[in-house]
Amino acid sequence: MALSREQMAARVAKELKDGYYVNLGIGIPTLVANYIPDGIDVMLQSENGLLGMGAFPTEDKVDPDLINAGKQTVTATKGASFFSSAESFAMIRGGHVDLTVLGAFEVDIHGNIASWMIPGKLVKGMGGAMDLVAGADNIIVTMMHADKHGNSKLLPQCELPLTGAGCIKKVLTDLGYFEIENSAFVLKERAPGVSVQEIRDKTAGELIAADDVPEMEV
């Protein structure tokens, strides 16, 4: 069975380590804030100028002036700080973010990512994604394995305009967790009940998978 968005976020949260500074992109990545493991302390950074972002608020805790980069209302943790977007991007470009979690339209076997526009559709711009992929060494892309038409989003070569080139090494989809090695997607974990053959059939890019790929613990 394919993972839900919440299960995907919970799996990504297992990659968090104590003391990490983490940037969460728009979409599924924002849900990671709700699944930070007990016993570790991480600081979530938002490029619109917040360090110390907390989980999404309950209805009685909503502050319309406290938002993330996707304009969703959030909470602030004890010790949080607020600053200009210029200072925020100085943190990102300076390599001070330990882990970045991004959504994407496409990722290919060369580690390229396309995440900001589809030709012919109105877009506001690339936003902070270009800076995030350029300033971070540790990036996890989390996205659905296929688009709404069933087309694979794990490709031999990205077809959409790139956000960054050769910068992605880890991808989590609703079907499995992959690492990009030697121009291929290497399947490390599969979603519970999803077979390696199903993943192979739905992956357009080169896929390497052992005979005994473990099921993901979710």
Side-chain angles (χ1 to χ4, degrees), residues 51-167:
L51 183 64
M53 185 169 59
F56 286 114
T58 55
E59 189 172 340
D60 61 319
K61 299 291 185 180
V62 170
D63 180 347
D65 293 322
L66 189 57
I67 60 173
N68 63 18
K71 297 183 174 58
Q72 297 168 302
T73 53
V74 294
T75 58
T77 60
K78 183 178 180 179
S81 59
F82 303 88
F83 35 84
S84 72
S85 59
E87 291 174 297
S88 180
F89 279 102
M91 296 178 189
I92 292 167
R93 294 168 183 160
H96 303 294
V97 175
D98 297 299
L99 173 65
T100 295
V101 186
L102 294 175
F105 296 136
E106 299 173 346
V107 174
D108 69 27
I109 59 174
H110 308 292
N112 300 325
I113 176 174
S115 65
W116 70 283
M117 76 167 294
I118 297 176
K121 292 192 175 183
L122 180 65
V123 294
K124 296 179 180 179
M126 187 175 287
M130 180 178 65
D131 300 271
L132 287 164
V133 298
D137 290 327
N138 190 10
I139 303 169
I140 298 177
V141 168
T142 180
M143 62 182 185
M144 307 309 288
H145 201 93
D147 65 21
K148 62 182 180 181
H149 303 294
N151 300 311
S152 176
K153 298 169 72 171
L154 277 64
L155 302 175
Q157 187 75 45
C158 286
E159 299 170 358
L160 297 173
L162 296 185
T163 308
C167 53

Side-chain angles (χ1 to χ4, degrees), residues 1 21 34 37 44 46 57 72 80 82 91 149 151 161 172 201 207:
M1 185 176 71
Y21 290 86
N34 294 333
L44 301 181
S46 182
Q72 297 168 302
F82 303 88
M91 296 178 189
H149 303 294
N151 300 311
L172 175 77
D201 291 342
L207 179 70

